[in-house]
Amino acid sequence: MPRSFSLIPRALCLGTAVFGLAVTAASAQERPYTPALTCAAVQALVARQGRVVLATSPHAYEAVHYESGDCRNEVTARPAFEPTLDDPNCFAGYRCVQRNNSDNSAR
């Protein structure tokens, strides 16, 4: 009987590891990769969802808003031009940047 008890923790660990991989894969899918999409597809996605975190390269991403009024408090809206399959400077929507920051870092 002690042997069956030792299998339960192992099964739980394996299940947790598999679940963790599924969550990681789902998180990666939440960021559409703009260089693989057309400009129209990116614009439609932002319009449909209102706010989307877009991956612009394998290691870079930013939140893009459909409406410029979504930026509040210490931030203001600036146009977000993203690289897409058919346009290297596709207007995707707006990104929020600090008002008092001269280099316009995203916030």
Side-chain angles (χ1 to χ4, degrees):
M1 218 182 286
R3 191 164 212 212
S4 63
F5 286 116
S6 67
L7 292 178
I8 292 173
R10 289 181 187 166
L12 288 174
C13 289
L14 180 61
T16 303
V18 171
F19 178 74
L21 290 175
V23 170
T24 302
S27 299
Q29 293 172 356
E30 292 175 8
R31 295 184 184 140
Y33 185 60
T34 63
L37 301 170
T38 64
C39 184
V42 170
Q43 291 171 337
L45 182 65
V46 173
R48 184 173 57 250
Q49 294 186 10
R51 178 188 179 273
V52 182
V53 177
L54 298 172
T56 56
S57 76
H59 304 289
Y61 56 91
E62 80 175 321
V64 176
H65 301 264
Y66 180 67
E67 295 185 15
S68 61
D70 289 342
C71 300
R72 301 184 197 309
N73 299 328
E74 297 296 319
V75 294
T76 189
R78 294 282 188 260
F81 295 96
E82 308 298 347
T84 61
L85 191 60
D86 58 344
D87 185 353
N89 293 305
C90 171
F91 173 71
Y94 299 91
R95 60 188 173 94
C96 298
V97 296
Q98 280 188 329
R99 289 188 180 146
N100 59 355
N101 190 346
S102 62
D103 67 350
N104 291 331
S105 299
R107 286 276 179 197

